[in-house]
Amino acid sequence: MSEERVSKKPQTALNRKRKGAESAVLLSQINLGEEQRIKTGFSELDRTLGGGIVKGSVALVGGDPGIGKSTLLLQASDKIGENYGEVLYVTGEESKSQIKLRAERLRINSSNLKILTETCMEAILDVLVRENPVVAIIDSIQTTYSLDLESPAGTISQIRECASKLIDFAKSSNVSLFLVGHVTKEGAIAGPKVLEHMVDTVLYFEGEKNYSYRILRTVKNRFGKSGEIGVFQMERFGLLEVSNPSEIFLSEKEKPFSGSVVVSTIEGTRPILLEIQALVSPTSYGVPQRVCTGIDPKRLSLLLAILEKKEDIHLGVFDVFVNVVGGIKVDEPGVDLGVCLSLISSFKDLAVFKSSVVIGEVGLGGEVRGVSQIEERIFEAEKLGLKRCLIPYNNYKAFAHKFEIEILEVKSLNQAIELTLT
Ligand code: TYD
Ligand code: MG
């Protein structure tokens, strides 16, 4: 519960004036101008936005503090400024000189980039109307406040009110906006979550502290596919895009060892190859541990139960560790078979044949089930020079593309084990 004082002036009278009634129009009579997408200079960012920034759209960029949101948007502002016209960067977090310092470090010297340090929403809107930029960035929405409410900046009502004013502005002026939102400890409540339903696009910037990779994930997009990811790398001079992530996530794999399996997952529209590593070792304390990073612990328990029941592999007195290399999180059943094989590989201490990729969902009966976008996945594996590909039997058909890579179809987990680990 949080107490909120109500302003004396009735709010509705302040900011909700009735406009002249608009009449309804036929869908067929609405003319689309040429859909113009503003390119940000980062094809990875464009991809997550569905192909570039749509005019008049509002995108929320959320993420932990320090993950690189301001860096990304400042770098993008530079490129947009160069190619399309003025960009306004409104900051409530840093001073002008701090921004300047960062810009120098990022080697940004755009003549079209304007900085405003302001947190009062009414003032920000005045400047926005006056400057009429192509794109504006509000960093961050949590520092802004509207005079219409008495609650302090950062409260849910202020965040909502400020965002709704900005959204109204974007829709009426055709200026595209990026709103930065920190995911706070109480993330779900006071953070950007409360805005997700209001904005057009929601992007989350994530990454692990110990890796330089950053992943920008589309959680919602009214102008493109959600689930899309963009991969970046944080360097000394800012963010660099990684246009072929599979290469990076696999690059360290020199020779095969037990417990390591390459899988293929689909993120949005893009296939990505990842390495799963498992370690199965006898428990030295009472309760065996199940530790995993990058995959859902519940899914791991389920797969362990299937191994126990269907394959007669009893891991009850073993610690089990599973790790997705590179700090990526996968949330897709197409990697099940790979996880199972990595567990068995570590358990039996047998390496899976070098240069193979394993694709398939594992059902409760130990059967291997089909996955989506199989051809894209095989194609990605072939592109990276892998030699062998295990796919679900149900997915096998006459593929449109002629693959050089050896394709093996499997019906069950049992058959997959026989093919790879004997
Ligand atoms: P920042 O963009 O300020 O994060 P956010 O706006 O999401 O809070 O990023 C800050 C981090 O990025 C900081 O820990 C330092 C690092 N960084 C680099 O490694 N290289 C750089 O060139 C810059 C500008 C930042
Ligand atoms: Mg910042």
Side-chain angles (χ1 to χ4, degrees):
M1 294 294 216
S2 75
E3 186 188 53
E4 254 154 39
R5 216 181 308 162
V6 178
S7 153
K8 294 231 172 54
K9 300 171 258 179
Q11 278 168 40
T12 44
L14 272 171
N15 48 22
R16 311 220 195 292
K17 285 189 214 98
R18 181 174 168 174
K19 299 175 192 140
E22 238 184 72
S23 42
V25 281
L26 281 171
L27 178 63
S28 57
Q29 285 176 352
I30 300 174
N31 289 323
L32 274 185
E34 235 178 281
E35 191 198 20
Q36 286 175 318
R37 298 257 186 176
I38 299 169
K39 300 286 178 195
T40 60
F42 280 125
S43 54
E44 294 292 296
L45 177 56
D46 290 343
R47 179 209 307 278
T48 56
L49 291 166
I53 306 169
V54 174
K55 286 233 162 127
S57 67
V58 180
L60 174 70
V61 181
D64 291 331
I67 200 80
K69 301 178 294 297
S70 308
T71 309
L72 175 71
L73 292 174
L74 201 62
Q75 283 180 274
S77 308
D78 179 42
K79 297 277 169 43
I80 299 166
E82 224 165 72
N83 301 321
Y84 297 92
E86 202 182 291
V87 178
L88 183 66
Y89 192 101
V90 183
T91 175
E93 310 217 317
E94 289 158 304
S95 67
K96 288 196 181 72
S97 50
Q98 273 174 314
I99 299 259
K100 179 73 184 172
L101 274 175
R102 174 181 307 201
E104 298 223 309
R105 183 155 163 211
L106 299 172
R107 316 233 161 102
I108 287 176
N109 210 354
S110 174
S111 51
N112 266 334
L113 178 57
K114 285 196 177 165
I115 309 290
L116 171 72
T117 44
E118 179 60 74
T119 51
C120 171
M121 192 41 63
E122 282 72 19
I124 294 173
L125 286 170
D126 281 348
V127 179
L128 277 172
V129 170
R130 196 165 63 229
E131 299 282 343
N132 194 30
V134 184
V135 172
I137 288 144
I138 314 295
D139 188 358
S140 67
I141 191 74
Q142 274 123 336
T143 54
T144 58
Y145 66 93
S146 164
L147 297 172
D148 294 344
L149 299 179
E150 285 183 6
S151 45
T155 51
I156 301 174
S157 46
Q158 280 289 9
I159 292 179
R160 280 226 189 94
E161 180 68 19
C162 291
S164 96
K165 287 196 157 124
L166 287 166
I167 291 166
D168 280 348
F169 166 77
K171 300 295 161 204
S172 61
S173 66
N174 237 8
V175 172
S176 313
L177 297 179
F178 280 99
L179 314 183
V180 173
H182 294 296
V183 177
T184 47
K185 275 245 174 66
E186 316 82 59
I189 311 158
K193 283 267 184 225
V194 296
L195 298 180
E196 280 186 0
H197 66 284
M198 302 167 70
V199 298
D200 299 311
T201 307
V202 178
L203 306 176
Y204 274 96
F205 210 25
E206 36 190 73
E208 299 272 329
K209 250 204 312 280
N210 304 328
Y211 292 96
S212 59
Y213 306 116
R214 300 282 182 271
I215 290 168
L216 190 64
R217 193 179 289 276
T218 316
V219 174
K220 158 184 171 178
N221 195 356
R222 287 184 181 147
F223 312 112
K225 203 166 185 306
S226 63
E228 208 65 80
I229 66 168
V231 184
F232 297 86
Q233 208 168 351
M234 181 64 94
E235 293 293 339
R236 228 148 47 86
F237 300 109
L239 287 160
L240 290 179
E241 51 188 344
V242 175
S243 35
N244 195 348
S246 301
E247 243 163 46
I248 293 199
F249 297 128
L250 294 185
S251 61
E252 284 165 36
K253 195 174 156 66
E254 278 294 297
K255 53 173 181 265
F257 54 88
S258 68
S260 151
V261 170
V262 175
V263 297
S264 169
T265 175
I266 297 277
E267 299 285 351
T269 53
R270 170 158 70 172
I272 292 188
L273 298 187
L274 293 168
E275 184 185 340
I276 307 254
Q277 294 185 347
L279 186 69
V280 175
S281 72
T283 309
S284 40
Y285 303 108
V287 185
Q289 300 189 64
R290 269 81 185 100
V291 181
C292 57
T293 48
I295 62 166
D296 178 16
K298 291 212 178 98
R299 194 85 199 161
L300 176 62
S301 304
L302 185 128
L303 295 175
L304 286 170
I306 295 171
L307 289 183
E308 172 111 19
K309 183 90 180 174
K310 299 288 163 187
E311 305 304 325
D312 237 359
I313 293 176
H314 303 283
L315 300 177
V317 289
F318 289 87
D319 289 337
V320 173
F321 304 93
V322 177
N323 183 23
V324 180
V325 177
I328 284 212
K329 290 194 191 76
V330 268
D331 180 21
E332 200 234 357
V335 303
D336 284 357
L337 187 59
V339 173
C340 288
L341 290 183
S342 72
L343 289 166
I344 302 165
S345 159
S346 175
F347 178 65
K348 296 191 169 179
D349 207 13
L350 274 178
V352 172
F353 176 75
K354 186 169 166 257
S355 316
S356 354
V357 58
V358 175
I359 302 166
E361 176 180 347
V362 176
L364 293 187
E367 80 278 18
V368 173
R369 311 173 61 121
V371 297
S372 63
Q373 304 184 48
I374 187 74
E375 274 175 88
E376 283 87 342
R377 298 185 203 232
I378 304 175
F379 192 69
E380 179 76 5
E382 190 174 85
K383 206 170 78 188
L384 283 161
L386 297 187
K387 297 285 183 295
R388 202 154 88 153
C389 188
L390 243 67
I391 66 166
Y393 184 81
N394 287 348
N395 277 132
Y396 189 75
K397 54 175 195 248
F399 293 121
H401 180 83
K402 199 95 198 82
F403 292 109
E404 305 247 312
I405 192 169
E406 183 191 1
I407 297 178
L408 302 170
E409 320 89 68
V410 289
K411 280 186 177 159
S412 66
L413 183 53
N414 208 306
Q415 198 186 353
I417 297 170
E418 251 163 49
L419 278 172
T420 53
L421 290 167
T422 39

